[in-house]
Amino acid sequence: GSFSQGTPATFGPVFEEQPVGLLFPEESAEDQVTLACRARASPPATYRWKMNGTEMNLEPGSRHQLMGGNLVIMSPTKAQDAGVYQCLASNPVGTVVSKEAVLRFGFLQEFSKEERDPVKTHEGWGVMLPCNPPAHYPGLSYRWLLNEFPNFIPTDGRHFVSQTTGNLYIARTNASDLGNYSCLATSHLDFSTKSVFSKFAQLNLAAEDPRLFAPSIKARFPPETYALVGQQVTLECFAFGNPVPRIKWRKVDGSLSPQWGTAEPTLQIPSVSFEDEGTYECEAENSKGRDTVQGRIIVQAQPEWLKVISDTEADIGSNLRWGCAAAGKPRPMVRWLRNGEPLASQNRVEVLAGDLRFSKLNLEDSGMYQCVAENKHGTIYASAELAVQALAPDFRQNPVRRLIPAARGGEISIPCQPRAAPKATILWSKGTEILGNSTRVTVTLDGTLIIRNISRSDEGKYTCFAENFMGKANSTGILSVRDATKITLAPSSADINVGDNLTLQCHASHDPTMDLTFTWTLDDFPVDFDKPGGHYRRASVKETIGDLTILNAQLRHGGTYTCMAQTVVDGASKEATVLVRGHHHHHH
């Protein structure tokens, strides 16, 4: 069947569910992980999986099980199972590959058990206490404890905890900072949170140094920060100094959006866009001076489709051009897959980046096609089915008209449009005589038969013969010639006054085997006889008389009236002009 007439009986796999990346906690109580995959297909799809590009062995009793299309991994471990997974769905029509899903293992080890050296400084100086977090994946969040749980260090202007390194910075120490410090690192996974503490380190303060110091930036954001559109970006900037320095942010090229808190040690862009790209400057200032640091935010983007392919039916021997286009930064590369395998240019198939061109399609070209757009930030897939068709001519959906009435002296065109692939060659016959082109008869390129200046001798059986290399078929209709419709009494033009009545005559002769209808227009707009309280009446119920009466004429009833007499095979028309004069009262 064709795609236009409902769903075809067989169709290739279409994903309904695809695997998504997972972050699995290494010491999770869960003993298995499931990657989802489900496709609609007729006949139903079978499934395979690839890990890091290699097809997986999914035997019963192994650690990998197929449940429907889903991949279940028993007792997953980082060493064996971390990697990139992809589902393949196949049926006799073809194969499609899913998007890639990365399985990662989240972990957070314990802090070193070694005692931490005390940190010494002068009261009034700045100090940094290193966190030295243990091995972990992915990133952590950090807080610091002073002396005991849950006495957390406040994030005021004097203290700062870097969320990049975990280090604690104190801009200017005072007596209350004396004590023991521990770094608390927390890992946030999809379904678990874990925290670990470092050993305590003692902060000792020597005698107060009352001198004032100009700011010196100690926690600084990098010279270049790469970010993806839509991601959150955080820049850190914190300085030592006495008095405690004030922090200010600006964008060197352009102004900061007003909604940003620009006086904090962190600058946060909740959802970065290309407009946010540029150079940012942090300034730390106190009464003794200022220090600045600059760095660029470079914004990139994952691929997204601008144009994709859609399911296509094409005739054998025809040409086809498909196109895909994707946006992204860096600019994505587009490649093509046929039934899950890379497609390169071959004799009849030309692959030019986002363009795929087939010349002289043949049945083996049928199958599932995917275009894949990829940059270093991601890969996206668009899929479609190509069904190449070879069909013997078939008139069942669209036969030649059985009965073809035509008017004598008129013209008729009889289409012949069988379903066929490749396009059928068409031949017409009348009875047993093949019709060639003549002054009165034409067979157009698309197979339509046109007969002009029809006479009684054109009556008879007309057969369209259609043939291609798959087979042949024919379809027949009967042409009957009818008398032409003629107007025998035409309306006459008239000149009347407002308020007068007027009848425009219109009589016609026609073939008695058919119905005749009269329609009137005024300046090409249909006249409405059914309007309640209207000014128009039909003058007769006799079929061959179509007279129009205007009652109590108004100025708006002036114009060109056309009477049309029509049957199903032809029609005739005549027109008349009506001038309606108003009464002018002259006041002297």
Side-chain angles (χ1 to χ4, degrees), residues 331-498:
R331 191 186 177 142
M333 295 288 299
V334 176
R335 54 192 172 85
W336 291 84
L337 304 175
R338 180 201 330 226
N339 294 324
E341 300 294 327
L343 187 59
S345 290
Q346 293 148 281
N347 37 18
R348 291 175 305 96
V349 182
E350 194 184 0
V351 182
L352 278 171
D355 255 10
L356 183 58
R357 295 180 202 181
F358 299 88
S359 45
K360 300 217 171 23
L361 283 167
N362 71 33
L363 294 175
E364 290 77 74
D365 296 323
S366 293
M368 299 302 299
Y369 288 80
Q370 290 175 288
C371 42
V372 186
E374 186 166 29
N375 69 12
K376 62 185 178 192
H377 305 300
T379 308
I380 53 177
Y381 295 79
S383 312
E385 177 179 339
L386 173 60
V388 177
Q389 297 198 304
L391 300 170
D394 181 346
F395 281 101
R396 281 173 306 192
Q397 282 176 26
N398 206 0
V400 171
R401 264 165 55 207
R402 281 275 160 270
L403 293 171
I404 308 160
R408 204 156 58 191
E411 175 177 315
I412 188 85
S413 70
I414 314 171
C416 174
Q417 290 166 325
R419 200 156 151 51
K423 217 172 89 163
T425 48
I426 301 289
L427 207 61
W428 279 94
S429 74
K430 178 186 179 207
T432 56
E433 163 206 2
I434 299 289
L435 294 175
N437 286 351
S438 68
T439 47
R440 288 199 314 116
V441 176
T442 308
V443 179
T444 67
L445 283 169
D446 71 353
T448 300
L449 173 64
I450 299 174
I451 309 172
R452 291 178 205 77
N453 191 8
I454 289 170
S455 68
R456 283 271 179 223
S457 64
D458 291 318
E459 285 198 323
K461 279 190 180 178
Y462 287 80
T463 302
C464 174
F465 293 91
E467 180 173 8
N468 66 13
F469 78 88
M470 295 287 294
K472 45 175 81 171
N474 63 66
S475 180
T476 302
I478 297 166
L479 178 71
S480 62
V481 177
R482 311 291 171 92
D483 289 336
T485 304
K486 288 197 182 65
I487 294 202
T488 52
L489 179 58
S492 332
S493 295
D495 186 338
I496 59 171
N497 290 323
V498 168

Side-chain angles (χ1 to χ4, degrees), residues 65-123:
Q65 297 293 322
L66 202 54
M67 306 271 297
N70 298 350
L71 175 67
V72 181
I73 305 172
M74 313 289 178
S75 345
T77 65
K78 180 178 177 196
Q80 290 177 285
D81 302 307
V84 179
Y85 290 82
Q86 201 169 23
C87 168
L88 291 81
S90 306
N91 80 350
V93 174
T95 298
V96 286
V97 301
S98 74
K99 28 183 203 244
E100 298 173 343
V102 183
L103 176 57
R104 295 188 176 91
F105 285 79
F107 63 95
L108 171 55
Q109 291 172 8
E110 297 291 331
F111 273 96
S112 148
K113 292 278 176 278
E114 275 179 41
E115 292 299 331
R116 296 198 158 200
D117 294 334
V119 178
K120 296 186 180 60
T121 192
H122 279 275
E123 187 185 331

Side-chain angles (χ1 to χ4, degrees), residues 239-263:
F240 292 172
N242 184 12
V244 173
R246 283 185 312 280
I247 303 284
K248 281 205 312 224
W249 290 89
R250 71 188 184 106
K251 190 165 182 236
V252 178
D253 30 24
S255 61
L256 274 184
S257 296
Q259 72 261 31
W260 290 342
T262 51

Side-chain angles (χ1 to χ4, degrees), residues 274 299-306 325-332 375 377:
F274 285 121
V299 181
Q300 302 201 321
Q302 294 176 321
E304 58 176 322
W305 289 120
L306 302 172
K329 194 174 167 192
R331 191 186 177 142
N375 69 12
H377 305 300

